[in-house]
Amino acid sequence: MAHSVRRDAPELPDFSLLKRLARDQLIYLLEQLPGRKDLFIEADLMSPLDRIANVTTLKQHDVDKLYKVEHKPIVSTSDQTVRGCFLYPLTNWFLFPDVVNADKAFGRFRRYKIIFSPQKFYACENLLEEQGIFGDVTTDEWSFYLLPLDDDIISLELPEFFRDYFLEGDQRWVRTAGSALHLLHSVYGPFSKVYGIGRCSKMAYESWREQVEEGEQRARQAEIGNVFLIDRDVDLVTPLCSQVVYEGLVDDIFRIKCGCVEFCPDVTSSDKSIKVMLNSQDKVFNEIRNEHFSQVFGFLSQKARNLQTAYDKRSGMDIKQMKTFVSEELKGLKQEHRLLSLHIGASESMMKKKTKQDFQELLKTEHSLLEGFEIRECISYIEEHINRQVSMVESMRLLCLLSLTENGLLPKDYRSLKNQFLQSYGIEHLLTFSNLKQLGLLVEQQPGETLTVMESRVGKLVNDKTAGQIQAGPNTVTVFNTGWVPIPLLYLIQSDEEYDLRVPRDMAYIFSGAYIPLSCKLIEQVLERDGWTGLEEVTRMLNGHEFAVTGKTSGVKTDSQRIILVMFLGGCTFSEISALRFLGREKGLKFIVVTTAITNSARLLESMLDNHA
């Protein structure tokens, strides 16, 4: 089941240090408010906090009670005079003044401390001053920039990054990304080379460099070689495609949050849901996470047979052998059996859901869109999807995929599909269409543009060997873009109809052999070329802002040179992570993915909804 390793891969750095640093800083901040205290935690921080410091740790540092803060007033049930410590990201903290004023009205006088995470902005203190409670509280920040989700995945846990930066133009998180890079550089650097593409990536790089120059630099042995920064809007097609690798499919259906998934009773074959941590420590999951879903059942069946064989060894054992078996093997076999049962249950549940949705027909439509074939049939399928009110987000995803792959819709198609969508799902989505248009996800062709003109432009690009082509062995990757659409598309059309998913030959396996993600293809090409030379036409179509900088290193070739840190600004999908793992196995590299958040089509489009804020 596992892919063959072409070259020995280097060892990854130990990222548990990042957790310890975050935990130690949080404990230090809590101790700044001595004595017993209540801790109010914003809902979005509950899961990340649980990965850093559990309840036992908090109790050891005089935290008396914990309260979950949601979009409603918060009240402490304690009648005693305890201190209130409020742990907030920058979303719901505006509820805090109500707490202080309510306590004052009841004659309760406490000491309050607000800890902002990952950073504090001037606007926070301005609001406290406007509310007349600035003198009643102390403020601080918990520089919780990076949460390791697995051996090769680190998240900033900023799902709002995509909307804030790419839609609203809010640049407040750019410095946070720069600070995250600075932390990685301080602990695991220095980096040999830094590549990047996108306006946000360029700004995050510059912010990081400023922090490096301001701070003290110490010589150390590098554990990470090269860094690649990429904006999410460089490639918006990939997150809109249906995920078909196991981990991506689990995320699409069950929603993985902070590396943890809650499997429903339908999966657990019991009357309750179970939360499961999904990472490399789960041996069953680790072997199937990157596999195309069509290959998973075969593996799980074989695993079940092997497990049964291991259990059957008990027959014929003498007392001494049985004692050894119980003490050394039985516990591991029971754990593996539990995990195997869960993943079989999850696979069956996903199969039922996808069969019900006619998943194969959906994938066929997506592949036709990516290849530019049978577009009228694709539009008819989307119209049927909308009129049957199958799923609002799914219909929106298909519309966006159609627009991106066709460089915008013909005005008559745009108006017709928009009207049908609003009639099916509600007029309130007018603002959502405005958001999608602003981001370039769903647009109509400009007046005067015709499909014939578009086809001629594409034809010119395809025929011009110097324009937007990347040689990839026997295949050619072509960039399609016109001057008026900011979101280009790079895709790989397979020359043969049969693609053996049992033995993948390239990163396209993550989309059933139909498409290699632009993001991953760019990373592969830049690393092979040691820069952007030869990709000038491609970067021009991607609106530029590419850069390549060589750092100060000893020049000695070490294993760290084969460890590549890729930072996605705006989110990354599990499919892209699987593709990079495949590329790493093929090239003898190891990729570390740092992302502002794990994303998928639903999360990305839900962030565009007009009622999101």
Side-chain angles (χ1 to χ4, degrees), residues 82-139:
V82 296
R83 293 151 178 83
C85 191
F86 296 79
L87 186 57
Y88 282 118
L90 294 155
T91 50
N92 293 344
W93 75 277
F94 58 83
L95 296 169
F96 172 76
D98 297 336
V99 178
V100 179
N101 290 326
D103 280 346
K104 283 182 177 179
F106 283 100
R108 289 195 294 253
F109 298 96
R110 314 173 192 250
R111 288 180 60 191
Y112 304 96
K113 184 182 186 71
I114 307 180
I115 302 174
F116 294 102
S117 178
Q119 65 191 82
K120 177 178 70 175
F121 296 113
Y122 293 119
C124 305
E125 294 183 346
N126 288 341
L127 180 61
L128 295 175
E129 196 167 356
E130 288 172 11
Q131 296 290 326
I133 60 170
F134 184 73
D136 298 313
V137 303
T138 57
T139 61

Side-chain angles (χ1 to χ4, degrees), residues 276-293:
V276 180
M277 196 68 71
L278 296 179
N279 55 34
S280 56
Q281 301 304 307
D282 179 339
K283 293 180 180 178
V284 176
F285 173 71
N286 197 44
E287 292 192 65
I288 60 176
R289 67 191 310 179
N290 303 309
E291 299 298 330
H292 190 279
F293 189 62

Side-chain angles (χ1 to χ4, degrees), residues 120-249:
K120 177 178 70 175
F121 296 113
Y122 293 119
C124 305
E125 294 183 346
N126 288 341
L127 180 61
L128 295 175
E129 196 167 356
E130 288 172 11
Q131 296 290 326
I133 60 170
F134 184 73
D136 298 313
V137 303
T138 57
T139 61
D140 217 321
E141 69 177 29
W142 181 28
S143 305
F144 177 32
Y145 298 125
L146 298 165
L147 175 65
L149 299 179
D150 208 344
D151 297 339
D152 59 352
I153 308 174
I154 304 173
S155 174
L156 277 71
E157 289 302 303
L158 291 174
E160 60 268 45
F161 191 109
F162 181 79
R163 181 185 174 104
D164 285 355
Y165 180 83
F166 294 103
L167 181 64
E168 309 287 355
D170 187 340
Q171 298 180 7
R172 61 180 169 167
W173 300 121
V174 172
R175 183 167 177 82
T176 306
S179 298
L181 268 178
H182 182 48
L183 176 58
L184 289 165
H185 180 262
S186 301
V187 179
Y188 303 105
F191 306 142
S192 301
K193 291 183 180 176
V194 182
Y195 309 102
I197 183 165
R199 187 189 299 272
C200 187
S201 293
K202 190 74 176 288
M203 289 194 293
Y205 167 77
E206 290 168 352
S207 172
W208 163 56
R209 289 309 308 168
E210 286 174 8
Q211 293 176 62
V212 169
E213 289 165 11
E214 290 169 3
E216 181 183 346
Q217 298 185 43
R218 293 171 293 175
R220 70 180 67 79
Q221 180 65 43
E223 294 184 65
I224 296 173
N226 301 329
V227 175
F228 196 106
L229 309 178
I230 183 168
D231 285 15
R232 180 70 274 171
D233 72 346
V234 167
D235 175 16
L236 285 170
V237 169
T238 297
L240 291 178
C241 292
S242 293
Q243 300 193 82
V244 288
V245 291
Y246 182 75
E247 189 168 14
L249 203 50

Side-chain angles (χ1 to χ4, degrees), residues 392-517:
M392 188 270 289
V393 172
E394 273 288 284
S395 295
M396 191 184 298
R397 179 178 73 85
L398 291 170
L399 284 175
C400 292
L401 203 53
L402 172 66
S403 176
L404 289 168
T405 53
E406 287 299 293
N407 287 322
L409 305 181
L410 290 171
K412 65 181 181 64
D413 288 333
Y414 180 86
R415 286 192 297 270
S416 172
L417 289 166
K418 180 180 177 181
N419 288 337
Q420 291 178 68
F421 188 95
L422 295 175
Q423 286 169 6
S424 281
Y425 303 111
I427 198 71
E428 65 271 16
H429 291 294
L430 264 174
L431 284 175
T432 304
F433 271 82
S434 175
N435 292 340
L436 295 172
K437 184 175 183 180
Q438 185 177 331
L439 198 56
L441 278 166
L442 182 55
V443 299
E444 61 179 314
Q445 294 175 14
Q446 290 181 340
E449 293 272 8
T450 65
L451 198 58
T452 307
V453 173
M454 300 300 301
E455 288 174 337
S456 68
R457 287 189 181 185
V458 171
K460 182 178 184 300
L461 285 178
V462 173
N463 293 328
D464 184 353
K465 292 182 180 180
T466 65
Q469 292 192 352
I470 304 174
Q471 295 301 321
N475 303 302
T476 299
V477 179
T478 308
V479 175
F480 288 79
N481 188 32
T482 61
W484 49 267
V485 179
I487 314 300
L489 169 64
L490 178 148
Y491 65 86
L492 178 67
I493 300 174
Q494 299 296 330
S495 56
D496 55 349
E497 292 183 5
E498 294 299 322
Y499 190 102
D500 190 353
L501 293 167
R502 293 170 299 180
V503 189
R505 60 172 180 263
D506 55 28
M507 292 183 285
Y509 89 93
I510 68 165
F511 291 125
S512 305
Y515 165 63
I516 293 180

Side-chain angles (χ1 to χ4, degrees), residues 12 24 63 289 344 401 460 479 535 541 574:
L12 286 169
D24 291 348
V63 172
R289 67 191 310 179
I344 289 174
L401 203 53
K460 182 178 184 300
V479 175
L535 301 175
M541 294 177 187
F574 282 118

